[in-house]
Amino acid sequence: MRNFFGSVANRVFLILLAGILVAVGSTGWLADSERRKNFKEWYDSRIADRIEQIVISIDNVGPDTRNIVLQTSEKFGLESTLVNEAEPKIDDNPSLTAAIKSKLGGERHVTVVKQRDCKLRERRGPDPRHFDECQAVYVSLKDGAVLKVKLRVTRQPGAPGGGPPGMPFPALYFALFMLLIGVLAFVVAKMTARPIQLLANAAGELGSDIDRPPLDESGPTEVRQAATAFNAMQARIKRQIQHRTHMLAAITHDLQTPLTRLRLRLEKVGDGELRQKLLEDLAVMQSMVREGLDLARSMDSAEAMQKLDIDSLLDSVCSDAVDARQDVTLEGRTRASIVAQPNALRRCLTNLVDNATKYGRYARLQLVREGSDIVIRIRDGGVGIPAELLETVFDPFFRLETSRSRDTGGTGLGLTIARNIAENHRATLQLRNHPAGGLEVTLRLPALN
């Protein structure tokens, strides 16, 4: 659930859906209130017309014929009687009272009250949900008599004050409405979040491929501005990497010539022991220069990508190691191909095998296919690496103080070069201490087929 709310698209979707539902609910409530108000005004006007007819008829006839008029009023759904009781002082329906007075004139005394002893009864008809309640209208006549008219007011159960009859909102219509609103909110949310997703994907790909194609600078203004800024950032990073790489390559390359001259001159030193020490120091310096040049090339290799048979490449690397009298074995075949830079990937594998044999006495390679990946595992027989240093050993010029010390001839660049080459191939390189002992290196490459 937390991941669901963490998505920008899902958040926009929920906000849109909630906003639309609140807007529809508010407008629906206002429309229903206005409909009920208009219905009540129309209903009061209709009742006032009927009462006006009855009152005028009674006022215009003599006492002997009033009963006939009162009986005739029942045809209009009204029960009318002349009463001797005083008019009530409390008015329960001011709007109906006002409508009747507007018809009869302001000099009339009109009061509308609810009948407290009137029992609700179910109305027979096509819609059994409607009920009748009783209200009584007291109207003064010209001769001072009081006319009581009992009304049957239609209302829905639970609707105070009554309301217009109508069909309930069908559940099917409501479900269709919710579905359409949900689809609309989902489409808008996806359209809103799509540029952000494209930008996130491009940022992720930039880490493994600085030469990836630039983003398409199209769409809304904000999206175009973000794409333009991202492309400019990518170009600047690419230039900075190229400048750094070229500078490092130039330095290491230019150092080769003076180091060679220095070696030739050291050969003329008369003291044999001193000469040997100086030559060993010089060899270390030359090794570091070569490794520095390899590091520069691993960060920005111009070698072309091509299709390779990973089984043949790994078999060749292991054969070269065996020829160099290293204890190396290979197990497994994948019959798969990859797209890679042949020389760079060979250098990566060679570094890993050399590290295993140099610091762990032997290298046991295993080649397997796992889904869409080719996995190469290289295990040695050493003492492993402290868990807190499994990532630190990839830093340039970092060396462990024990088994992987300067005395072994390492420069601290072998694993750095290997990881750079792996990242250039969109691969991952990880280290772990094997439960049975030794260090295990895992190289995971994307397969072509």
Side-chain angles (χ1 to χ4, degrees), residues 296-318:
R297 291 171 178 169
S298 71
M299 290 187 294
D300 187 23
S301 176
E303 186 180 2
M305 290 280 187
Q306 62 185 56
K307 183 178 179 180
L308 291 177
D309 184 344
I310 188 63
D311 294 339
S312 301
L313 177 62
L314 199 57
D315 186 66
S316 175
V317 171
C318 292

Side-chain angles (χ1 to χ4, degrees), residues 214-268:
L215 286 175
D216 184 19
E217 299 178 8
S218 62
T221 302
E222 294 80 2
V223 176
R224 292 199 306 270
Q225 291 176 348
T228 301
F230 182 87
N231 291 337
M233 178 192 68
Q234 178 180 348
R236 287 195 300 270
I237 294 175
K238 184 177 180 180
R239 285 196 301 270
Q240 290 175 359
I241 292 176
Q242 289 175 342
H243 293 165
R244 185 187 66 175
T245 303
H246 294 164
M247 180 180 65
L248 181 58
I251 292 174
T252 54
H253 181 270
D254 292 344
L255 282 175
Q256 295 285 355
T257 300
L259 287 176
T260 302
R261 289 199 302 264
L262 185 58
R263 171 176 286 277
L264 293 176
R265 290 169 182 172
L266 288 178
E267 294 290 346
K268 299 178 181 180

Side-chain angles (χ1 to χ4, degrees), residues 272-289:
E273 183 177 356
L274 178 61
R275 183 175 63 251
Q276 184 61 31
K277 291 180 180 181
L278 292 175
L279 289 175
E280 289 177 357
D281 289 340
L282 184 61
V284 172
M285 293 178 61
Q286 288 180 319
S287 177
M288 293 182 66
V289 170

Side-chain angles (χ1 to χ4, degrees), residues 10-189:
N10 293 338
R11 289 184 181 183
V12 173
F13 168 72
L14 292 177
I15 292 173
L16 283 175
L17 185 61
I20 292 174
L21 291 179
V22 169
V24 171
S26 300
T27 54
W29 177 78
L30 292 174
D32 184 69
S33 299
E34 186 67 21
R35 184 171 64 95
R36 289 177 179 275
K37 178 183 177 182
N38 294 335
F39 174 80
K40 193 173 189 312
E41 292 177 354
W42 169 81
Y43 187 81
D44 289 345
S45 177
R46 189 182 66 171
I47 295 297
D49 288 339
R50 292 182 179 182
I51 292 178
E52 178 190 16
Q53 294 173 5
I54 296 172
V55 171
I56 293 176
S57 299
I58 293 177
D59 279 339
N60 293 332
V61 298
D64 298 334
T65 58
R66 283 185 174 182
N67 290 332
I68 299 175
V69 176
L70 293 175
Q71 292 175 1
T72 305
S73 67
E74 294 184 0
K75 296 181 180 179
F76 297 96
L78 305 176
E79 183 180 341
S80 305
T81 56
L82 295 174
V83 296
N84 296 323
E85 56 190 89
E87 298 178 19
K89 301 299 183 183
I90 300 177
D91 196 330
D92 292 329
N93 197 339
S95 62
L96 180 57
T97 300
I100 296 173
K101 283 187 175 182
S102 67
K103 299 289 185 181
L104 297 176
E107 70 278 0
R108 301 274 186 172
H109 295 287
V110 181
T111 307
V112 182
V113 297
K114 282 188 177 182
Q115 295 296 290
R116 310 299 178 186
D117 57 346
C118 181
K119 296 182 179 179
L120 297 180
R121 64 182 180 83
E122 185 175 352
R123 181 180 183 184
R124 296 178 182 179
D127 192 351
R129 297 181 306 157
H130 291 78
F131 290 73
D132 292 337
E133 69 175 358
C134 296
Q135 290 186 7
V137 180
Y138 292 86
V139 182
S140 62
L141 301 178
K142 288 183 178 180
D143 58 2
V146 177
L147 175 66
K148 178 181 179 182
V149 182
K150 185 181 291 187
L151 307 178
R152 294 178 180 176
V153 181
T154 302
R155 74 176 181 89
Q156 296 182 8
M167 295 182 62
F169 195 67
L172 180 61
Y173 292 170
F174 181 76
L176 180 61
F177 171 77
M178 289 295 296
L179 177 62
L180 294 177
I181 290 297
V183 171
L184 175 62
F186 179 79
V187 171
V188 173

Side-chain angles (χ1 to χ4, degrees), residues 365-386:
L365 282 75
Q366 183 184 34
L367 177 62
V368 295
R369 176 75 178 265
E370 294 182 359
S372 60
D373 293 336
I374 295 173
V375 180
I376 303 172
R377 294 184 175 90
I378 305 173
R379 181 185 170 191
D380 62 31
V383 296
I385 296 176

